[in-house]
Structures are given as structure tokens and as C-alpha cells.
Amino acid sequence: MTILQETATPPLTPPRPDLGRATDELHRLKEEVSRGPDAAATRRQHAKGKLTAHERLELLFDDGTFTEIEPLRRHRATGFGLESRKPHGDGVIIGWGLVHGRTVFAYAHDFRVFAGALGEAHATKVHKVMDLAEASGAPLVSLNDGAGARIQEGVTALAGYGGIFRRNVRASGVIPQISVMLGPCAGGAAYSPALTDFVFMVRETAQMFITGPDVVQAVTGEKITHNGLGGADVHAQTSGVAHFVFDDEAACLEEVRWLLSLLPRNNRELAAPVRGEDPADRRTDALTTLVPADPGRAYDMRAVIEEIVDDGEYLEVHEGWARNVVCALARLDGQTVGVIANQPNTLAGVLDIHASEKAARFVTTCDAFNIPLVTLVDVPGFLPGVDQEHGGIIRHGAKLLHAYCNATVPRISIVLRKAYGGAYIVMDSRSIGADLSFAWPTNEIAVMGAEGAANVVFRREIAASPDPEATRERLVKEYKSELMHPYYAAERGLVDDVIDPGDTRRVLVRSLAMLREKKAELPDRKHGIVPT
């Protein structure tokens, strides 16, 4: 007998999709993701005077060089309606591209999605691009336009910010980190930029604060607008949080590109040289008319910087805050330098609490990224006063002293006119480690001005004189001729040379060329303890 065995019919498998159709679907999906949640959201963004995240990235990067990663990621949160709202990208765009031909990483909040608020998936994307930037040794730019932590996701959102802060600190001094504030940023969205190297803000549309105006009014009773509390001008002129401020996003992002061109990719490299047509040995004779010989007369130090640097171009950092000191990035013979200079046009160029903090941070930043320091000195001392002493001028001034003493990059200082007291020492004098120190023939380096010194040293003789004013005038002249003549410091080796102001650029270029291969080591330690 033949037994027939029943065989199971194999299940039907769906036909493999056509690769062409699948590719078309992929392109449709990515185009949809790029457009954003809906056209109305884009119109609302533009109505506020703001660009979309993709439009901003197009302005930041060289044409057609941005590569986005993880555009299709979605959050996994549930509750409070989140399970029905899972847009691709989760409110942040990450990737890399080229700026002036060099690799730069970036993330950009998309305000059209959850108002740019940070949740778990959003944070994971930011963590990823930060890790890639550090591993690749390339700068990181954040385009910030977000409402802080996503409340619906609770503590996971807060943990996401913690991961960002930890990475900010880990990358500090390793790669340049630049924050661009393009919308309202509160809480954690404000703390991360504060941990980065440079903060840009756009007027009217960008704000930074830990707690918004409504909370402030509820707790303190103070009524204030968003811009009044944390607008661009507030942070550029009062708090010192913002380094650069612009009227529109296009100008802001163009300046970010310029800053990136002045910086190295990381702390193991030098900034790329950009040689122009400005001769290295060009004379700077205009300085003799720009700077008055009378130490009591004011002038604009920015005009001096403009005369010295390549093509008169420089990028001033913290222009609106602590104006009595100027900090700027520029080039000398194509090489990036950091310039720190007293500003006689504001408070006679004295050092105070804010000026000391501003200059100290700039010195530390330049040193971290191998940028030589040029210090132009015209300082009458530290600002006296009860407010300054009670506000901690001692510890704030010590920050600047600590920054200079800790800096291992090439350091050159030039005393243009006066340099009195502790402020002379702090402004990168030879005694705290300047590699080279020069002075103009108008320099006055002393413990204090001649008039004040005479009143202290000769007070009894002046008081006992039948003509105190004539005696005082004679003793002031004697003090000047003995201890404050232009060659006193040079005779004692505290100034390497007294130079013709017209030779200033040439001397700086030659000195920096000689110091380019400078090697300096700090003691074996975990880190120094910066005065707070």
C-alpha cells in the first residue's frame, strides 16, 4: 500500500520591495523631515524674524558640505500625549560639514518641534555629536533655540542635560566650543552655553535666563520683560555672559565663521596661517600721533591695535562689557594672536573687577588653544574704592595674575606709556613670565605716579617747607628723573628694549617668529586652583 504523506504548503512571503521605489520613499521621507512638522510652523518661525534650523546650518557651513546624521530618530516616551506625537529628528539636527574648508561639528535646535525642548532622544543625539567632535579633534558649534528640558519626560530630560554639561567640561580647552543663541533659552539651555568658549547672541530674538520673567515676578514681585531680563544687550553689557551680539542671524553666523578661521581645530594644533598682502616689516609711524605723549590724556586703544595688526582687522571679544580693557583676536604676518590692552578711553584704562575677569578668561582661552599673547600696557593701576575692595578686587585681580603666570604660549608685552604698581606686574610683566618685554620712549614704569609718590615719600619735607607747592614740584621732578625716566627699567633688564613706536609691528612679527617653537612645561599636577 502506498501511503501519501501530506506536505505543508510553505507560507507565502511578501514580494521584495523594488529598490527604486524604496529609494524614492526614502527621499520623500527625508524631504518631509527637512521641511519640518508643517508649513505653518515654518511660517511662525519666519514671522518671529528667525530662520529654521536647516537654513541656519546652510549659512554656517560651506555650500553643500553639511552631512546630517540621525535625522530619523524618534523619542520613545509615553504619557501626556507624547505617544501620538513622534516627529522624526526629535527637535534637533546634528552633523558635520566644512567651514573655510575645515571640519566643524554642529547641532541645531528645531524650534518647530516641541519648541526645541530637550528630551531623552534629543539629548542622546547631542551627546553623540559632542563625542564625535571631541574624538575627531574638531570644533563644535551649537545653534540654540530651545525651551529647556521637556517637562513631559521628567528626570530623563534633566539627565540629558547633565550629559551635555559633562561633555562641555570634558571638551573644554580641547576643542573650541561656540554657542550661538538664536531664540529663548532657559534653564539647562542657558547653562551649556555658559560652559563653552564663546557665546554669540542675536538682538530681540535671543534670550538667556535660568528662570523666566513670570517666575521672577512670582517670587520677587519684580516685573520685567524677556529682553530686559536676559536679552542680548543685557548679557553683552551687564552680565558679561555674551561675547558677541548682532542684529540679525546672517551677520551673526558669518562672524562665527570668521572666529572659526582664527582658531585651531583643537589644542594640539596651531591656528591655520592666512597670509595677506600687509608687509611684515610695515612701519607704524601713525602711532606717534595716535597716542598722546601726556600720560593723562585719553585715546582709543583700538586705533593702536588696528594700526599694528594685519590689514587693520581684528575681532574684539566682549566689546560691550568691561570696556576699560580690550581683548581681541587678530593676525600678525598671517598668524593668529590674542591682544590684551588697557583702554585709556574708559576709566583711564584702570583694572577693576570686571576687566580683570574679562582679560583672565581671554588669556586662559588663548593659552588653551596655542594662540600667542600680545599685551599692550597703558595702566594707571587698579581702581580704588570701597565697592571694589568689598567686591573682591583682590581675588578677581588674582585671576588675571594666575592666568598669565599659567600661560605657556609665546608672550610679548609692550609698555606704551604708564604702568604703575601692581597693575604693571599683572599686565604680563617680565617678572611674571613674559618672554619679551618692550617699551616706547614715553614709558613710565613705577610703583605709582610721580605726584602720588612725592606726597608719600617727601610729605614731611613738603610740609616743613616755607613754599610747600614749589618744594613739591621740585621733588616730583627729581623723582621722575631718578626713578621714572624711560630707560630706568631697561637699564635693570626688566624691559628688553626701548623701541621706536614706528617699529612696533616689525618687532612683534620678528619676536613671534622667534618664539613660534617655544616649549614650556608646567609642574606635574592635576591642575592649578584658580582664585574664585
Side-chain angles (χ1 to χ4, degrees), residues 361-444:
R361 192 180 193 281
F362 184 72
V363 168
T364 301
T365 303
C366 288
D367 184 54
F369 293 115
N370 308 312
I371 297 173
L373 297 169
V374 173
T375 304
L376 304 178
V377 185
D378 192 347
V379 61
F382 281 94
L383 182 64
V386 174
D387 288 345
Q388 288 290 306
E389 294 295 345
H390 289 185
I393 185 62
I394 294 172
R395 58 188 173 84
H396 290 290
K399 290 179 184 178
L400 181 54
L401 190 58
H402 187 281
Y404 269 124
C405 290
N406 205 50
T408 59
V409 293
R411 293 158 49 189
I412 303 170
S413 65
I414 299 180
V415 179
L416 278 58
R417 299 192 308 183
K418 57 191 175 296
Y420 297 156
Y424 154 68
I425 301 172
V426 169
M427 289 297 292
D428 206 19
S429 63
R430 276 287 303 279
S431 59
I432 65 168
D435 297 295
L436 291 169
S437 179
F438 299 101
W440 286 2
T442 46
N443 81 83
E444 292 182 355

Coordinates of all heavy atoms in Angstrom, one line a residue, residues 361-444:
R361 N 40.0 85.4 31.5 CA 39.3 84.4 30.7 C 39.9 84.3 29.3 O 40.1 83.3 28.7 CB 37.8 84.6 30.7 CG 37.0 83.4 30.1 CD 35.5 83.7 30.1 NE 34.8 82.5 29.9 CZ 34.6 81.9 28.7 NH1 35.2 82.5 27.7 NH2 33.9 80.8 28.6
F362 N 40.1 85.5 28.8 CA 40.6 85.6 27.4 C 42.1 85.0 27.3 O 42.4 84.2 26.4 CB 40.6 87.0 26.9 CG 41.1 87.2 25.5 CD1 40.3 86.8 24.4 CD2 42.3 87.7 25.2 CE1 40.7 87.0 23.1 CE2 42.7 87.9 23.9 CZ 41.9 87.5 22.8
V363 N 42.9 85.3 28.3 CA 44.3 84.8 28.4 C 44.2 83.3 28.5 O 44.9 82.6 27.8 CB 45.0 85.4 29.6 CG1 46.3 84.6 29.8 CG2 45.3 86.9 29.3
T364 N 43.3 82.8 29.3 CA 43.2 81.3 29.5 C 42.8 80.6 28.2 O 43.3 79.6 27.8 CB 42.3 81.0 30.6 OG1 42.7 81.6 31.9 CG2 42.1 79.5 30.9
T365 N 41.8 81.2 27.5 CA 41.3 80.7 26.3 C 42.4 80.6 25.2 O 42.6 79.6 24.5 CB 40.1 81.5 25.8 OG1 39.1 81.5 26.8 CG2 39.5 80.9 24.5
C366 N 43.1 81.7 25.1 CA 44.2 81.8 24.1 C 45.3 80.7 24.4 O 45.8 80.0 23.5 CB 44.8 83.2 24.0 SG 43.7 84.4 23.3
D367 N 45.6 80.6 25.7 CA 46.6 79.7 26.1 C 46.2 78.2 25.8 O 47.0 77.4 25.3 CB 47.0 79.8 27.5 CG 48.1 79.0 28.0 OD1 49.2 79.0 27.4 OD2 47.9 78.2 29.0
A368 N 44.9 77.9 26.0 CA 44.4 76.6 25.8 C 44.5 76.2 24.3 O 44.8 75.0 24.0 CB 42.9 76.5 26.2
F369 N 44.4 77.2 23.4 CA 44.4 76.9 22.0 C 45.7 77.4 21.3 O 45.6 77.7 20.1 CB 43.1 77.4 21.4 CG 41.9 76.7 21.9 CD1 40.9 77.3 22.6 CD2 41.7 75.3 21.6 CE1 39.8 76.6 23.1 CE2 40.6 74.6 22.1 CZ 39.7 75.3 22.8
N370 N 46.8 77.5 22.0 CA 48.1 77.8 21.4 C 48.1 79.1 20.7 O 48.9 79.2 19.7 CB 48.5 76.6 20.5 CG 48.4 75.3 21.2 OD1 48.8 75.1 22.3 ND2 47.7 74.3 20.5
I371 N 47.4 80.1 21.1 CA 47.4 81.4 20.5 C 48.3 82.3 21.3 O 48.1 82.6 22.4 CB 46.0 82.0 20.4 CG1 45.1 81.0 19.6 CG2 46.0 83.4 19.9 CD1 43.6 81.4 19.6
P372 N 49.4 82.8 20.6 CA 50.4 83.7 21.3 C 49.6 85.0 21.9 O 48.6 85.4 21.3 CB 51.4 84.1 20.2 CG 51.3 83.0 19.3 CD 49.8 82.6 19.3
L373 N 50.2 85.6 22.9 CA 49.6 86.7 23.6 C 50.5 88.0 23.4 O 51.7 87.9 23.6 CB 49.5 86.5 25.1 CG 48.5 85.3 25.4 CD1 48.7 85.0 26.9 CD2 47.1 85.6 25.1
V374 N 49.8 89.0 22.9 CA 50.5 90.3 22.8 C 49.7 91.3 23.8 O 48.5 91.5 23.7 CB 50.4 90.9 21.4 CG1 50.9 92.3 21.3 CG2 51.2 90.0 20.4
T375 N 50.4 91.9 24.7 CA 49.8 92.7 25.7 C 50.3 94.2 25.5 O 51.5 94.4 25.6 CB 50.2 92.2 27.2 OG1 49.8 90.9 27.3 CG2 49.5 93.1 28.2
L376 N 49.4 95.1 25.4 CA 49.7 96.5 25.2 C 49.3 97.2 26.5 O 48.1 97.2 26.9 CB 48.9 97.1 24.0 CG 49.1 96.3 22.7 CD1 48.3 97.0 21.6 CD2 50.6 96.4 22.3
V377 N 50.3 97.8 27.1 CA 50.1 98.3 28.5 C 50.1 99.8 28.6 O 51.0 100.5 28.1 CB 51.3 97.7 29.4 CG1 51.0 98.1 30.9 CG2 51.4 96.2 29.3
D378 N 49.0 100.3 29.2 CA 48.9 101.7 29.5 C 48.0 101.8 30.7 O 46.8 102.2 30.5 CB 48.4 102.5 28.3 CG 48.6 104.0 28.5 OD1 48.8 104.4 29.7 OD2 48.5 104.8 27.5
V379 N 48.5 101.5 31.9 CA 47.6 101.3 33.0 C 48.0 102.1 34.2 O 49.2 102.0 34.6 CB 47.5 99.8 33.4 CG1 48.9 99.2 33.8 CG2 46.5 99.5 34.4
P380 N 47.1 102.9 34.8 CA 47.4 103.7 36.0 C 47.3 102.9 37.3 O 47.7 103.5 38.3 CB 46.4 104.8 35.9 CG 45.2 104.2 35.3 CD 45.7 103.2 34.3
G381 N 46.8 101.7 37.2 CA 46.7 100.9 38.5 C 45.4 100.2 38.5 O 44.6 100.1 37.6
F382 N 45.1 99.7 39.7 CA 43.8 99.1 40.0 C 42.8 100.2 40.5 O 43.2 101.1 41.2 CB 43.9 98.0 41.0 CG 44.4 96.7 40.5 CD1 45.8 96.4 40.6 CD2 43.6 95.8 39.9 CE1 46.3 95.2 40.1 CE2 44.0 94.6 39.4 CZ 45.4 94.3 39.5
L383 N 41.5 100.0 40.2 CA 40.5 101.0 40.5 C 40.3 101.0 42.0 O 40.0 100.0 42.6 CB 39.2 100.7 39.8 CG 38.1 101.7 40.1 CD1 38.4 103.1 39.6 CD2 36.8 101.2 39.5
P384 N 40.6 102.2 42.7 CA 40.4 102.2 44.2 C 38.9 102.4 44.5 O 38.1 102.9 43.7 CB 41.2 103.4 44.6 CG 41.2 104.3 43.4 CD 41.2 103.4 42.2
G385 N 38.5 102.0 45.7 CA 37.1 102.3 46.1 C 36.6 101.2 47.0 O 37.1 100.0 47.0
V386 N 35.7 101.5 47.9 CA 35.1 100.6 48.8 C 34.3 99.5 48.0 O 34.5 98.3 48.4 CB 34.1 101.3 49.7 CG1 33.3 100.3 50.6 CG2 34.8 102.3 50.6
D387 N 33.6 99.8 47.0 CA 32.9 98.8 46.2 C 33.8 97.8 45.6 O 33.5 96.6 45.6 CB 32.0 99.5 45.1 CG 30.8 100.2 45.7 OD1 30.5 100.0 46.9 OD2 30.3 101.1 44.9
Q388 N 34.9 98.3 45.1 CA 35.9 97.3 44.5 C 36.5 96.4 45.6 O 36.6 95.2 45.3 CB 37.0 98.1 43.8 CG 36.5 98.8 42.5 CD 36.2 97.8 41.4 OE1 37.0 97.0 41.0 NE2 35.0 97.9 40.8
E389 N 36.9 97.0 46.7 CA 37.5 96.1 47.7 C 36.5 95.1 48.3 O 36.8 93.9 48.4 CB 38.1 97.0 48.8 CG 39.2 97.9 48.4 CD 40.5 97.2 48.0 OE1 40.6 96.0 48.3 OE2 41.4 97.8 47.4
H390 N 35.3 95.6 48.6 CA 34.3 94.7 49.1 C 33.8 93.7 48.1 O 33.3 92.6 48.4 CB 33.1 95.5 49.6 CG 33.4 96.3 50.9 ND1 32.5 97.0 51.6 CD2 34.6 96.4 51.6 CE1 33.0 97.5 52.7 NE2 34.3 97.2 52.7
G391 N 33.9 94.1 46.8 CA 33.5 93.1 45.7 C 34.6 92.1 45.4 O 34.3 91.2 44.6
G392 N 35.7 92.2 46.0 CA 36.7 91.2 45.8 C 37.8 91.5 44.8 O 38.2 90.6 44.0
I393 N 38.2 92.8 44.6 CA 39.2 93.1 43.6 C 40.4 92.3 43.8 O 41.1 92.0 42.8 CB 39.4 94.6 43.6 CG1 40.4 95.0 42.4 CG2 40.0 95.1 44.9 CD1 39.9 94.7 41.1
I394 N 40.7 91.9 45.0 CA 42.0 91.1 45.3 C 41.9 89.8 44.6 O 42.8 89.4 43.8 CB 42.2 91.0 46.8 CG1 42.5 92.3 47.4 CG2 43.4 90.0 47.0 CD1 42.5 92.3 49.0
R395 N 40.8 89.1 44.8 CA 40.7 87.7 44.2 C 40.4 87.8 42.7 O 40.9 87.0 41.9 CB 39.6 86.9 44.9 CG 38.2 87.4 44.9 CD 37.3 86.6 45.8 NE 36.0 87.2 45.9 CZ 35.0 87.1 45.0 NH1 35.2 86.3 44.0 NH2 33.8 87.6 45.2
H396 N 39.7 88.8 42.2 CA 39.5 89.0 40.8 C 40.8 89.4 40.1 O 41.0 88.9 39.0 CB 38.4 90.0 40.5 CG 37.0 89.4 41.0 ND1 36.4 88.4 40.3 CD2 36.2 89.8 42.0 CE1 35.2 88.2 40.9 NE2 35.1 89.0 41.9
G397 N 41.5 90.3 40.6 CA 42.8 90.7 40.1 C 43.7 89.5 40.0 O 44.5 89.3 39.1
A398 N 43.6 88.6 41.1 CA 44.5 87.4 41.1 C 44.1 86.5 40.0 O 45.0 85.7 39.6 CB 44.3 86.8 42.5
K399 N 42.9 86.5 39.5 CA 42.6 85.6 38.4 C 43.4 86.0 37.2 O 43.9 85.1 36.5 CB 41.1 85.8 38.1 CG 40.1 85.2 39.1 CD 38.7 85.4 38.6 CE 37.7 85.0 39.7 NZ 36.3 85.2 39.3
L400 N 43.6 87.3 36.9 CA 44.4 87.7 35.8 C 45.8 87.3 36.0 O 46.5 86.8 35.1 CB 44.2 89.2 35.5 CG 45.0 89.8 34.4 CD1 44.7 89.0 33.1 CD2 44.6 91.3 34.2
L401 N 46.3 87.5 37.2 CA 47.7 87.1 37.5 C 47.9 85.6 37.3 O 48.9 85.2 36.7 CB 48.0 87.5 39.0 CG 49.4 87.5 39.5 CD1 50.3 88.3 38.6 CD2 49.5 87.9 40.9
H402 N 47.0 84.9 37.8 CA 47.0 83.4 37.7 C 47.0 83.0 36.2 O 47.8 82.1 35.8 CB 45.9 82.8 38.4 CG 45.9 81.3 38.5 ND1 45.6 80.4 37.5 CD2 46.3 80.4 39.5 CE1 45.7 79.2 37.8 NE2 46.1 79.2 39.1
A403 N 46.2 83.6 35.4 CA 46.1 83.3 34.0 C 47.4 83.5 33.3 O 47.8 82.7 32.5 CB 44.9 84.0 33.4
Y404 N 48.0 84.7 33.5 CA 49.2 85.0 32.8 C 50.3 84.0 33.3 O 51.1 83.5 32.5 CB 49.6 86.4 33.1 CG 49.1 87.4 32.0 CD1 48.4 88.5 32.4 CD2 49.5 87.3 30.7 CE1 48.0 89.5 31.5 CE2 49.0 88.2 29.7 CZ 48.3 89.3 30.1 OH 47.9 90.2 29.2
C405 N 50.5 83.9 34.6 CA 51.5 83.0 35.1 C 51.4 81.6 34.6 O 52.4 80.9 34.5 CB 51.5 83.1 36.6 SG 52.0 84.7 37.3
N406 N 50.2 81.1 34.4 CA 50.0 79.8 34.0 C 50.1 79.6 32.5 O 50.2 78.4 32.0 CB 48.6 79.3 34.4 CG 48.5 77.8 34.6 OD1 49.3 77.2 35.3 ND2 47.4 77.3 34.0
A407 N 50.2 80.7 31.7 CA 50.2 80.6 30.2 C 51.6 80.2 29.7 O 52.6 80.8 30.1 CB 49.7 81.9 29.6
T408 N 51.6 79.2 28.8 CA 52.8 78.7 28.3 C 53.0 79.1 26.8 O 54.1 78.8 26.2 CB 52.9 77.2 28.4 OG1 51.8 76.6 27.7 CG2 52.9 76.7 29.8
V409 N 52.1 79.8 26.2 CA 52.2 80.3 24.8 C 53.2 81.4 24.8 O 53.6 82.0 25.8 CB 50.9 80.7 24.2 CG1 49.9 79.5 24.1 CG2 50.3 81.8 25.1
P410 N 53.7 81.8 23.6 CA 54.6 83.0 23.5 C 53.9 84.2 24.0 O 52.7 84.4 23.7 CB 54.8 83.1 22.0 CG 54.7 81.7 21.5 CD 53.7 81.0 22.3
R411 N 54.6 85.0 24.8 CA 54.0 86.1 25.5 C 54.9 87.3 25.3 O 56.1 87.3 25.7 CB 53.8 85.9 27.0 CG 52.7 84.8 27.3 CD 52.9 84.2 28.6 NE 53.1 85.1 29.7 CZ 53.4 84.8 31.0 NH1 53.6 83.5 31.3 NH2 53.5 85.7 31.9
I412 N 54.4 88.4 24.7 CA 55.1 89.6 24.5 C 54.3 90.8 25.0 O 53.1 90.9 24.7 CB 55.4 89.8 23.0 CG1 56.2 88.6 22.4 CG2 56.2 91.1 22.8 CD1 56.3 88.6 20.9
S413 N 55.0 91.7 25.8 CA 54.3 92.9 26.3 C 55.0 94.1 25.8 O 56.2 94.1 25.6 CB 54.2 92.8 27.8 OG 55.5 92.9 28.4
I414 N 54.2 95.2 25.6 CA 54.8 96.5 25.2 C 54.2 97.5 26.1 O 52.9 97.7 26.2 CB 54.5 96.8 23.8 CG1 55.1 95.8 22.8 CG2 55.1 98.2 23.4 CD1 54.9 96.0 21.4
V415 N 55.0 98.3 26.8 CA 54.5 99.4 27.7 C 54.5 100.7 26.8 O 55.5 101.1 26.4 CB 55.4 99.6 28.9 CG1 54.9 100.8 29.7 CG2 55.4 98.4 29.7
L416 N 53.3 101.2 26.5 CA 53.2 102.3 25.6 C 53.5 103.6 26.4 O 54.2 104.5 26.0 CB 51.8 102.4 25.0 CG 51.5 101.5 23.8 CD1 51.8 100.1 24.1 CD2 50.1 101.8 23.3
R417 N 52.8 103.8 27.6 CA 53.0 105.0 28.4 C 53.2 104.6 29.8 O 54.3 104.1 30.2 CB 51.9 105.9 28.2 CG 51.6 106.5 26.8 CD 50.7 107.6 26.7 NE 49.4 107.4 27.4 CZ 48.4 108.2 27.4 NH1 48.4 109.4 26.9 NH2 47.2 107.9 28.1
K418 N 52.2 104.7 30.6 CA 52.3 104.4 32.1 C 52.0 103.0 32.4 O 51.2 102.3 31.8 CB 51.4 105.4 32.9 CG 50.0 105.3 32.5 CD 49.2 106.4 33.1 CE 47.7 106.4 32.7 NZ 47.6 106.6 31.2
A419 N 52.7 102.5 33.5 CA 52.5 101.2 34.0 C 52.8 101.3 35.5 O 54.0 101.2 35.9 CB 53.3 100.1 33.3
Y420 N 51.8 101.4 36.3 CA 52.0 101.7 37.7 C 51.6 100.6 38.6 O 50.6 99.9 38.4 CB 51.2 103.0 38.1 CG 51.6 104.3 37.5 CD1 50.7 105.3 37.4 CD2 52.9 104.4 36.9 CE1 51.1 106.5 36.8 CE2 53.3 105.6 36.3 CZ 52.4 106.7 36.2 OH 52.7 107.8 35.6
G421 N 52.4 100.4 39.7 CA 52.0 99.5 40.8 C 51.8 98.0 40.4 O 52.3 97.5 39.4
G422 N 50.9 97.4 41.2 CA 50.5 96.0 40.9 C 50.0 95.8 39.5 O 50.1 94.7 39.0
A423 N 49.3 96.8 39.0 CA 48.7 96.6 37.6 C 49.8 96.4 36.6 O 49.6 95.7 35.6 CB 47.9 97.8 37.3
Y424 N 51.0 97.1 36.8 CA 52.1 96.8 35.9 C 52.6 95.4 35.9 O 52.8 94.7 34.9 CB 53.3 97.7 36.3 CG 54.6 97.2 35.9 CD1 55.0 97.1 34.5 CD2 55.5 96.7 36.8 CE1 56.2 96.5 34.1 CE2 56.8 96.2 36.5 CZ 57.1 96.1 35.1 OH 58.3 95.5 34.8
I425 N 52.6 94.8 37.2 CA 53.1 93.4 37.3 C 52.1 92.5 36.6 O 52.4 91.6 35.8 CB 53.2 93.0 38.8 CG1 54.2 93.9 39.5 CG2 53.6 91.6 38.9 CD1 54.2 93.8 41.0
V426 N 50.8 92.7 36.9 CA 49.7 91.8 36.4 C 49.6 91.8 34.9 O 49.3 90.8 34.3 CB 48.4 92.3 37.0 CG1 47.2 91.5 36.4 CG2 48.4 91.9 38.5
M427 N 49.9 93.0 34.2 CA 49.8 93.1 32.8 C 51.0 92.5 32.1 O 51.6 93.1 31.2 CB 49.5 94.5 32.4 CG 48.2 95.1 32.7 SD 46.8 94.3 31.9 CE 47.0 94.7 30.2
D428 N 51.3 91.2 32.4 CA 52.3 90.4 31.8 C 53.7 91.0 31.8 O 54.3 91.1 30.7 CB 51.9 90.0 30.4 CG 52.6 88.7 29.9 OD1 53.0 87.9 30.8 OD2 52.6 88.4 28.7
S429 N 54.1 91.4 32.9 CA 55.5 92.0 33.0 C 56.5 90.8 32.9 O 56.2 89.7 33.0 CB 55.6 92.7 34.4 OG 55.5 91.7 35.5
R430 N 57.7 91.2 32.8 CA 58.8 90.2 32.7 C 58.9 89.4 34.0 O 59.1 88.2 33.9 CB 60.2 90.9 32.5 CG 60.5 91.3 31.1 CD 60.9 90.0 30.2 NE 62.0 89.3 30.8 CZ 63.3 89.7 30.7 NH1 63.6 90.7 29.9 NH2 64.2 89.0 31.2
S431 N 58.5 90.0 35.1 CA 58.7 89.3 36.4 C 57.7 88.1 36.5 O 57.9 87.2 37.3 CB 58.5 90.3 37.5 OG 57.2 90.9 37.5
I432 N 56.6 88.1 35.8 CA 55.6 87.0 35.9 C 55.7 86.1 34.6 O 54.8 85.2 34.4 CB 54.2 87.5 36.1 CG1 53.7 88.3 34.9 CG2 54.1 88.3 37.4 CD1 52.1 88.5 35.0
G433 N 56.7 86.3 33.8 CA 57.0 85.3 32.8 C 56.8 85.7 31.4 O 56.9 84.8 30.5
A434 N 56.6 87.0 31.1 CA 56.6 87.4 29.7 C 57.9 87.0 29.0 O 59.0 87.2 29.6 CB 56.4 88.9 29.6
D435 N 57.9 86.5 27.8 CA 59.1 86.1 27.1 C 59.9 87.3 26.7 O 61.1 87.3 26.8 CB 58.8 85.2 25.9 CG 58.1 84.0 26.2 OD1 58.7 83.1 26.9 OD2 56.9 83.8 25.9
L436 N 59.2 88.3 26.2 CA 59.9 89.6 25.8 C 59.0 90.7 26.3 O 57.8 90.7 26.2 CB 60.0 89.6 24.3 CG 61.0 88.6 23.7 CD1 60.9 88.6 22.2 CD2 62.4 89.0 24.1
S437 N 59.7 91.8 26.7 CA 59.0 93.0 27.2 C 59.7 94.2 26.5 O 60.9 94.3 26.6 CB 59.1 93.1 28.7 OG 58.5 94.3 29.1
F438 N 58.9 95.0 25.8 CA 59.4 96.2 25.2 C 58.7 97.4 25.7 O 57.7 97.3 26.4 CB 59.2 96.1 23.7 CG 59.9 94.9 23.0 CD1 59.2 93.8 22.7 CD2 61.3 95.0 22.8 CE1 59.8 92.7 22.1 CE2 61.9 93.9 22.2 CZ 61.2 92.7 21.9
A439 N 59.2 98.6 25.4 CA 58.6 99.8 25.9 C 58.9 100.9 24.9 O 59.9 100.9 24.2 CB 59.2 100.2 27.3
W440 N 57.9 101.8 24.8 CA 58.1 103.0 23.9 C 58.9 104.1 24.8 O 59.0 104.0 26.0 CB 56.8 103.6 23.6 CG 56.0 102.8 22.5 CD1 56.4 101.7 21.9 CD2 54.8 103.2 22.0 NE1 55.5 101.3 21.1 CE2 54.4 102.2 21.0 CE3 53.9 104.2 22.1 CZ2 53.3 102.2 20.3 CZ3 52.7 104.3 21.4 CH2 52.4 103.3 20.5
P441 N 59.5 105.0 24.1 CA 60.3 106.0 24.8 C 59.4 107.0 25.7 O 60.0 107.8 26.4 CB 61.0 106.8 23.7 CG 60.2 106.6 22.5 CD 59.6 105.2 22.6
T442 N 58.1 106.8 25.7 CA 57.2 107.6 26.6 C 56.9 106.8 27.8 O 56.0 107.2 28.6 CB 55.9 107.9 25.8 OG1 55.4 106.8 25.1 CG2 56.2 109.0 24.8
N443 N 57.5 105.6 28.1 CA 57.0 104.8 29.2 C 57.4 105.3 30.5 O 58.4 106.0 30.7 CB 57.7 103.4 29.0 CG 59.1 103.3 29.5 OD1 59.3 103.1 30.7 ND2 60.0 103.4 28.6
E444 N 56.5 105.1 31.5 CA 56.7 105.4 32.9 C 56.3 104.2 33.7 O 55.2 103.9 33.9 CB 55.9 106.6 33.3 CG 56.2 108.0 32.7 CD 55.4 109.1 33.2 OE1 54.4 108.8 34.0 OE2 55.6 110.3 32.8

